[in-house]
Amino acid sequence: MKTRGTEGFTLVEVLVAMVILGIALLGVQASITDHLVSDVGQEDTRATAAQLAASRIHEIASDPDYGALGDHYAGTENPVAGAAGFQRTTAVRADDGGFTTVSVRVTGPAGRDTVTRTLVIGAP
């Protein structure tokens, strides 16, 4: 009578190993997906902050009333109209040489993702 060899794996052992490997891969995939979604959300917030800063800089640069920039724009908006959770601070500083420096700082929700843009305007 021939005896059966003990070499190799049984079908049940292979199936159990595949189930364990599948569960491990699902956990890794969930972790990577969560990280990527978080990164995309952070970049979206940063892009919104950059757009809010750029729009304020463009608005100030196109204002013909050069002497009253500080009166019109200096201050803090919290929240920014149309962008809940964002805070925009505009600082206007004139120097003796006829130049005005405008700094716009936009902070995203929860104080993260701060974007700053600066513009120097010469008197006409």
Side-chain angles (χ1 to χ4, degrees):
M1 176 188 273
K2 294 183 180 180
T3 60
R4 192 165 174 203
T6 58
E7 299 173 15
F9 298 100
T10 66
L11 181 59
V12 172
E13 291 172 332
V14 170
L15 289 175
V16 169
M18 289 178 70
V19 166
I20 292 171
L21 180 63
I23 291 171
L25 288 175
L26 280 174
V28 169
Q29 179 190 12
S31 174
I32 290 172
T33 301
D34 184 49
H35 183 68
L36 289 175
V37 167
S38 173
D39 286 350
V40 168
Q42 185 177 8
E43 287 302 316
D44 185 45
T45 301
R46 187 160 178 77
T48 301
Q51 177 60 35
L52 290 170
S55 69
R56 175 52 57 99
I57 288 290
H58 178 72
E59 183 180 353
I60 292 171
S62 61
D63 191 336
D65 192 4
Y66 178 79
L69 291 178
D71 296 335
H72 292 176
Y73 299 104
T76 301
E77 295 172 80
N78 188 14
V80 178
F86 287 87
Q87 177 180 347
R88 179 167 56 190
T89 304
T90 305
V92 179
R93 190 185 80 229
D95 66 10
D96 295 335
F99 292 98
T100 299
T101 303
V102 179
S103 293
V104 178
R105 184 178 52 126
V106 178
T107 305
R112 298 184 324 228
D113 304 316
T114 300
V115 174
T116 303
R117 298 290 185 261
T118 302
L119 171 69
V120 178
I121 304 170

